Amino acid sequence: MRVTSPGIGSPDESGSLSYEGRDVPVAASDTVASAMVAAGELGNRRTDAGDLRGVWCGMGVCHECAVTVDHQEGVLACVTPARAGQIIQTQSARRRVPTSAPAPRPESELTPDVLVIGAGPAGLAAARDLAAAGLDVLVVDERKKLGGQYYKQPDPALPIDEDRLDRQYTAGRGLIDAARRAGARMLLGASVWAAFEADRLLARSDTERWIIRPRRVVLATGAYERGVPIPGWTLPGVMTTGAGQTLLRSYQVAPGARVLVAGNGPLNIQLAAELAKAGVDVVGLVEAASFLSPARIGAGMRMAWNAPGLTRDGVGYLSALAAHRVPVLTGSVVASLEGDPQRGVERATIARLDGHRLPTGRRRSFDVDAVCLGYGFLPSNDLARSLGCRHEYDPERGALHTLTDGTGRTSVSTVWAIGDSGGVRGAKFAQVQGALAAAAIIADLADRPAVIDATTTRAARRHLSFQAGVNALFAAPLLTDQLAEPSTVVCRCEGVTHADLVDSMTEGVTSPGAVKRVTRAGMGKCQGRYCGPVLVEMEARLHGVPVSERSGFAPQAPVKPVPLGDVAAP
C-alpha cells in the first residue's frame, strides 16, 4: 500500500518487475522489498517446511527477506534497489552450490587517522568534528544511504518539499550535510566483517575488499530490535517496528492496509501515529507498559524538563492516535498471531500481562494484514567484543553494554564505542556523544588533554536524564520466551522450536554454545542475533548461572555473513 507523508510526494512508476510470474509495479524510489510489500506480495524466502517468510528486520540483519533476483540467489530484498524488468523468485530453502569460483576482487589497504563504523547520529557527529579538525576520517556503513535507522531519509527519487518535512528528517539532513562538508570520506555499501586488532580490520563490498589500519577506531554500529518469539511471529506480514518505519519513512509504503503495532517503547507510538496520519487503518497500539498510569506522571515531567521538544512530539503522536480513534491497550501484549504461512498474518490476539510475565484474562482479537512488533533494542556490539572491550550485563535491559568513559572510550585505549552500540540511550544522546568522542580523539592524537565544550557536556546530561525518564515511563517486564508455546519457532533461521531448546537443555548442555551445537540454533545468517538473547535467558533461568559478558555466543569473524571467497582470499 503506497502512502504519502507531509513534504513527500508520490513516486513516479518506472514499469514493473516479475515476481513468480506476476507483475509488481516498481517506483523509482523502491527496493525490491518495498515494491513487493506495496503490491501485497509478502513472501520472500521458503523454509525447509515449505512456509514463506517475509520482511522481518528491514535492515539487512535477519536475512528473512532473501530472494532470487535475475537468477542470483540469496539477495536481500530490503536493501536491494528495484528496477523494471527484474525477475524475482522465492528463495528456495536449499541454495544451489556454485559450480565455479567467483572472479577475484581487488583488495587494498586504507590507513585513515580515524575509522568510524556506522553512519547514524553518533558516527556522523563524530566524523563531522574529526574531519573539521583536519583529520583523515573514513566512515564505513553497510547501507548505501547516510543517516542510520533514526535519521533514515526519504529516497532521493521521491518528490521532496524541504519546507514541509518533519524535524526528524530535517535534523538528519543537516547532520549528513555537515559531515560531508567537513570532508569525511564515505565508504557506503561496505561492511566491516572482522576486527582482529584495533589497527587491523577487514571490510568488503560487492566489488572490493579492504584491510583498514586506522590510528583510532570509533564503533557507532547502532542497535537492532529485540526478538520476542510468540506463536505466529514468523508469518509473512509480521515485521519489526523499525522495518515498518523504514518502509514508511524511506519509501512511502505502508506495511499493510490494516496494521497492528505492538511491543514496548515510544517508537511504536510514533509509527502508529505516522501510519494513521498517512491514511492506514491502524487497528490498535498494544503497549506492554502501563505508561498512561497516573503513577508515571513523574517520569513524563522528567522528560519534559530535559527535552521539551521531544516530549511535545510524543504528546502529538498520542493526540494523532486519539484523533484517528486508534485503541491504545496498555499493560498488554500480542499473545498469538494466526494466518496462512503461504499468504500472511490474518489475526492478532491480545492479552494482559500478569505478574509472572504471562498473558492472562480475557483475550481480544483484531483482523489484520500486517503486524509491527517492537520490544526495544539490543546494542550491536559484535566488533567491540571481538576487540576485547570490556562489557557488563544490564539485567533491566537484558543486554550487554560496553564499559566506557563519558566520551565513549573503551577498555581498549584506541577504541571508542558510542551511541546505541555501546548501550541504548537514545539517538539524541548518541549524537552528542559523537561530539564528545571526537573531542577526546583529537586531543588523544595531539597528546594533550581533551577540551570539551561545557554546552556539549550539559546536553549529554540532559539527554541521559531524558532517556532515564523514557525508561521509567515505559518500564515493563522484560520478555524473552514467556509467550512462546512448545511449537513456537525461536531460531527463525534454522527453524528450531521452543520445545527443541528445552529438550536440549539437559545436564551437560549448560551454555548457549552447547545448545547451538546440539540444535543448530544460532547457526543461521542472522548469527544468533534474535535467538541468542532468548537462549541466554533460558539457560540462566534453568541452571541458575548469572549472565555475564562471557554468556551467549562467542564473538568471532565474520561478524556478518560474507562470501567464503572473502574469508579464504589470499
Side-chain angles (χ1 to χ4, degrees), residues 153-165:
Q153 295 293 308
D155 189 273
L158 291 164
I160 303 296
D161 181 349
E162 297 279 354
D163 294 332
R164 296 183 60 221
L165 292 176

Side-chain angles (χ1 to χ4, degrees), residues 71 136 253 289 314 356 397 469 479 501:
H71 309 295
D136 177 17
V253 169
H356 301 287
R397 306 263 72 82
L479 295 175
L501 297 176

Side-chain angles (χ1 to χ4, degrees), residues 26-52:
V26 172
S29 55
D30 273 329
T31 60
V32 172
S34 67
M36 289 177 61
V37 171
E41 297 283 4
L42 303 180
N44 296 122
R45 78 174 182 93
R46 199 170 292 280
T47 69
D48 283 335
D51 297 339
L52 283 177

Side-chain angles (χ1 to χ4, degrees), residues 29-32 58-60 72 75-83 86 118-120 124 139-149 151-156 176 180 186-191 204-208 210 246 250-251:
S29 55
D30 273 329
T31 60
V32 172
M59 57 188 290
Q72 180 183 350
V75 177
L76 298 186
C78 71
V79 295
T80 300
R83 58 174 176 78
Q86 283 174 321
L124 288 173
V139 180
V140 179
D141 197 293
E142 60 192 359
R143 300 173 189 87
K144 296 181 180 179
K145 298 175 185 176
L146 299 171
Q149 290 300 301
Y151 282 143
K152 56 175 71 86
Q153 295 293 308
D155 189 273
I176 290 167
R180 281 181 167 145
M186 307 295 180
L187 186 58
L188 303 180
S191 60
R204 69 168 300 278
S205 73
D206 290 337
T207 57
E208 292 185 70
W210 298 272
T246 296
S250 293
Y251 307 109

Side-chain angles (χ1 to χ4, degrees), residues 22 155 158 217 250 326 328 353 358 404 406 412-413 427 432 513 520:
R22 299 185 291 274
D155 189 273
L158 291 164
V217 177
S250 293
V326 176
V328 178
L353 276 179
L358 296 173
T404 68
V412 179
S413 63
V432 173
R520 292 190 60 82

Side-chain angles (χ1 to χ4, degrees), residues 37-317:
V37 171
E41 297 283 4
L42 303 180
N44 296 122
R45 78 174 182 93
R46 199 170 292 280
T47 69
D48 283 335
D51 297 339
L52 283 177
R53 296 283 178 82
V55 173
W56 167 246
C57 75
M59 57 188 290
V61 173
C62 70
H63 290 250
E64 290 283 68
C65 69
V67 290
T68 297
V69 178
D70 294 335
H71 309 295
Q72 180 183 350
E73 297 189 325
V75 177
L76 298 186
C78 71
V79 295
T80 300
R83 58 174 176 78
Q86 283 174 321
I87 299 174
I88 311 297
Q89 296 170 300
T90 301
Q91 177 62 57
S92 62
R94 299 298 176 193
R95 291 177 59 183
R96 291 169 294 180
V97 177
T99 57
S100 60
R105 290 176 294 113
E107 181 176 77
S108 56
E109 185 168 295
L110 303 174
T111 56
D113 292 322
V114 185
L115 169 64
V116 178
I117 306 174
L124 288 173
R128 173 199 61 197
D129 292 358
L130 289 164
L135 294 173
D136 177 17
V137 180
L138 177 66
V139 180
V140 179
D141 197 293
E142 60 192 359
R143 300 173 189 87
K144 296 181 180 179
K145 298 175 185 176
L146 299 171
Q149 290 300 301
Y150 183 75
Y151 282 143
K152 56 175 71 86
Q153 295 293 308
D155 189 273
L158 291 164
I160 303 296
D161 181 349
E162 297 279 354
D163 294 332
R164 296 183 60 221
L165 292 176
D166 67 31
R167 290 191 299 173
Q168 190 168 332
Y169 280 129
T170 55
R173 292 167 95 78
L175 181 58
I176 290 167
D177 289 344
R180 281 181 167 145
R181 286 197 307 270
R185 289 189 288 157
M186 307 295 180
L187 186 58
L188 303 180
S191 60
V192 176
W193 61 269
F196 296 115
E197 301 289 344
D199 61 353
R200 183 169 175 259
L201 301 96
L202 303 185
R204 69 168 300 278
S205 73
D206 290 337
T207 57
E208 292 185 70
R209 298 178 294 134
W210 298 272
I211 299 172
I212 308 177
R213 297 186 180 278
R215 298 168 66 192
R216 299 294 182 271
V217 177
V218 176
L219 303 175
T221 48
Y224 55 93
E225 283 175 272
R226 177 189 298 279
V228 176
I230 63 175
W233 75 312
T234 58
L235 287 166
V238 181
M239 64 188 70
T240 67
T241 299
Q245 189 186 53
T246 296
L247 286 170
L248 176 65
R249 292 184 68 85
S250 293
Y251 307 109
Q252 296 297 284
V253 169
R258 288 180 54 82
V259 182
L260 179 76
V261 183
N264 177 223
L267 180 61
N268 297 318
I269 298 174
Q270 178 182 353
L271 177 62
E274 290 179 342
L275 287 172
K277 288 190 287 187
V280 177
D281 182 7
V282 180
V283 300
L285 170 69
V286 182
E287 169 56 55
S290 299
F291 75 102
L292 297 177
S293 167
R296 303 204 180 187
I297 192 170
M301 293 175 63
R302 181 174 187 174
M303 292 165 58
W305 177 262
N306 287 285
L310 291 175
T311 307
R312 279 196 302 271
D313 288 344
V315 173
Y317 296 142

